[in-house]
Amino acid sequence: AQTCGTLGLLLAYPGGAAGRADQGDGAPLAGIERVVEACLRTLVVAERSDACQTVLRQECMRPFVAAAVSVEALEAGVTGSCQGLAAVYARILTFVDRFCLPLAALAAFAFP
């Protein structure tokens, strides 16, 4: 349980690596790679990969999607329109590039 809590704090949105990725940090996992990898390995050894998925879903993905994908963001100031669709899509792609792909690379080492 402590490992999941640590992982959640390190990766959380908006205060952790997920938040830094959304704010434009090009390397949001910089400096915490080893700790994140150690947490992931611990969860593998404990056969708790499901806990890792839960932490990522609850602490990173849901809060990010709630912040990025909203009626306000989609409308971009023009009620009833989809003026902001391109910006929402770009924000999601940037988040995937800056946070999800580097995290997947770390997970590849932890989940052989």
Side-chain angles (χ1 to χ4, degrees):
Q2 186 174 2
T3 299
C4 288
T6 301
L7 189 62
L9 286 173
L10 291 171
L11 301 179
Y13 184 91
R20 288 190 300 277
D22 190 38
Q23 293 170 359
D25 186 339
L29 296 172
I32 62 170
E33 298 101 333
R34 297 287 177 228
V35 177
V36 170
E37 188 176 336
C39 288
L40 293 173
R41 286 180 189 263
T42 300
L43 292 169
V44 168
V45 170
E47 296 182 2
R48 293 297 315 267
S49 60
D50 61 322
C52 179
Q53 292 171 357
T54 300
V55 166
L56 288 173
R57 183 174 49 252
Q58 292 177 348
E59 301 296 330
C60 303
M61 302 312 293
R62 278 189 187 153
F64 168 74
V65 170
V69 182
S70 66
V71 171
E72 293 81 16
L74 183 60
E75 291 179 340
V78 181
T79 304
S81 76
C82 292
Q83 294 289 328
L85 181 60
V88 169
Y89 186 63
R91 185 174 176 185
I92 292 168
L93 289 178
T94 300
F95 183 77
V96 167
D97 190 45
R98 290 184 179 155
F99 178 72
C100 298
L101 293 178
L103 185 59
L106 280 177
F109 290 108
F111 296 94

